[in-house]
Amino acid sequence: MIIKSSLPTNRSLQPPPLRTGGVRIASIDVEWTKNYKIKNGQRPFCYSVAWLDLAADRTPDLADVPFEWTSVYVEEPGEMDELVRNAAATVAAAAETSTIITGHQFCSDLAVLEANAPADAVPRLQAARTQWKGRRDANPDESHYVDTRFDAGHILTGKSRRLVDVCNEVGLDVTQPELLKVTMPAWHRRWVEEGQEEGRERVSVLNLRHSLSTAYVAAHAAGLAMWADEGLNVNRVIAEGAKGAWGWLENPIFTDLVEDKCPSESAALSPSKAPRPPARRRSSTR
């Protein structure tokens, strides 16, 4: 199992100490392979969590707010059970220590994790799915879920709820250079089949960008934080907050994005978050 984190190695799978005593947001994102030809063909292989601590008595600029994070990636497919156990423990820890637990269409992430979970991880994931379903009746002052795909409509005017489109509308630059020529599943295959580290690193950074940008959207939707009118470059934040974690962050393709604000309107979406293509209609003439 490959674990990268801003936290000390012996605490990388645990929540960080609360920075401010205010409001904590825990944002989780999962990546998985897809195979629609078989039942439950989705297989999780990577997840990340971003921890964001915000003061309850003011509305800070997120460009000035540090974050903690952990990224977990399978070193080989046989480690999926361990990854799901770690993800289930992370979700449970988030619910125990955070005011807001968030994800973008997080119900899908939880469903895929549970479908592949070893027996000892199932209760935690079932509890999380129950909490997610009851999120709109939860006490907003206590630990509760906010799903940025379904619960951020009051700050949006556009119709699309793709994460990249939501971010673009509210002024978060989430340009995704990882997907310019190769898809996320293809990069993952290059890691699994060829041991190509750049493929794994690209997916890891893509995944962390999803977690962090989702945390930002949730903070904005809750009125807990803001950013300058000209927008916030999430790639620049990651370059600083995850410096040294992956060689991909030093690649010129990535570093070119942190110098100036980059347009993200046409950014590709990770396949695990993309709409499933409609089924082909059967011909009446066979």
Side-chain angles (χ1 to χ4, degrees):
M1 193 71 61
I2 298 171
I3 301 174
K4 302 285 186 177
S5 182
S6 60
L7 300 166
T9 301
N10 63 341
R11 288 189 52 83
S12 60
L13 293 175
Q14 301 175 33
L18 187 64
R19 284 181 178 272
T20 64
V23 178
R24 164 164 289 180
I25 297 177
S27 180
I28 303 166
D29 191 86
V30 183
E31 303 294 347
W32 63 81
T33 59
K34 287 191 173 184
N35 184 348
Y36 292 119
K37 295 181 180 179
I38 61 173
K39 183 179 180 180
N40 294 328
Q42 295 89 341
R43 297 289 184 266
F45 61 85
C46 169
Y47 81 90
S48 63
V49 55
W51 307 94
L52 194 63
D53 291 341
L54 302 168
D57 57 350
R58 56 190 177 88
T59 308
D61 186 334
L62 285 176
D64 302 322
V65 176
F67 71 100
E68 303 287 0
W69 60 273
T70 294
S71 168
V72 182
Y73 205 115
V74 296
E75 194 158 10
E76 56 184 37
E79 294 179 329
M80 185 184 69
D81 281 1
E82 183 180 354
L83 179 133
V84 173
R85 285 191 181 96
N86 288 336
T90 296
V91 171
E96 293 171 357
T97 63
S98 306
T99 306
I100 296 175
I101 310 99
T102 189
H104 194 76
Q105 197 169 329
F106 196 46
C107 51
S108 296
D109 289 345
L110 292 173
V112 169
L113 289 172
E114 185 180 345
N116 292 277
D120 56 329
V122 170
R124 284 174 164 172
L125 295 169
Q126 289 180 335
R129 295 185 73 182
T130 297
Q131 291 170 332
W132 181 91
K133 291 176 182 177
R135 68 192 186 282
R136 290 177 179 169
D137 296 322
N139 185 339
D141 296 324
E142 298 178 356
S143 180
H144 65 284
Y145 277 82
V146 171
D147 194 308
T148 53
R149 183 174 180 87
F150 306 110
D151 305 329
H154 60 288
I155 63 170
L156 305 171
T157 58
K159 293 183 179 180
S160 175
R161 292 298 182 266
R162 292 195 325 160
L163 179 57
V164 67
D165 293 330
V166 169
C167 289
N168 181 63
E169 182 175 340
V170 299
L172 292 174
D173 178 5
V174 291
T175 305
Q176 302 180 120
E178 297 83 11
L179 304 181
L180 289 178
K181 295 182 179 180
V182 181
T183 66
M184 184 272 293
W187 282 122
H188 176 62
R189 284 195 299 272
R190 291 185 183 186
W191 163 245
V192 172
E193 298 173 3
E194 305 170 19
Q196 188 179 110
E197 290 190 4
E198 183 178 316
R200 170 178 56 78
E201 293 188 351
R202 284 185 179 228
V203 176
S204 295
V205 173
L206 176 79
N207 180 240
L208 180 58
R209 186 186 298 112
H210 290 169
S211 292
L212 184 59
S213 59
T214 297
Y216 286 174
V217 172
H220 180 38
L224 294 170
M226 46 76 72
W227 45 86
D229 291 341
E230 59 267 25
L232 178 61
N233 188 325
V234 179
N235 284 312
R236 183 180 296 126
V237 176
I238 290 175
E240 296 172 355
K243 186 175 182 180
W246 297 288
W248 169 242
L249 296 179
E250 305 299 326
N251 189 300
I253 298 174
F254 183 89
T255 57
D256 284 348
L257 299 177
V258 306
E259 300 302 326
D260 300 299
K261 187 176 185 301
C262 308
S264 58
E265 287 87 343
S266 59
L269 183 70
S270 170
S272 69
K273 303 302 177 188
R276 180 178 174 178
R280 182 178 298 177
R281 297 183 62 181
R282 296 181 64 179
S283 170
S284 60
T285 60
R286 296 183 183 274

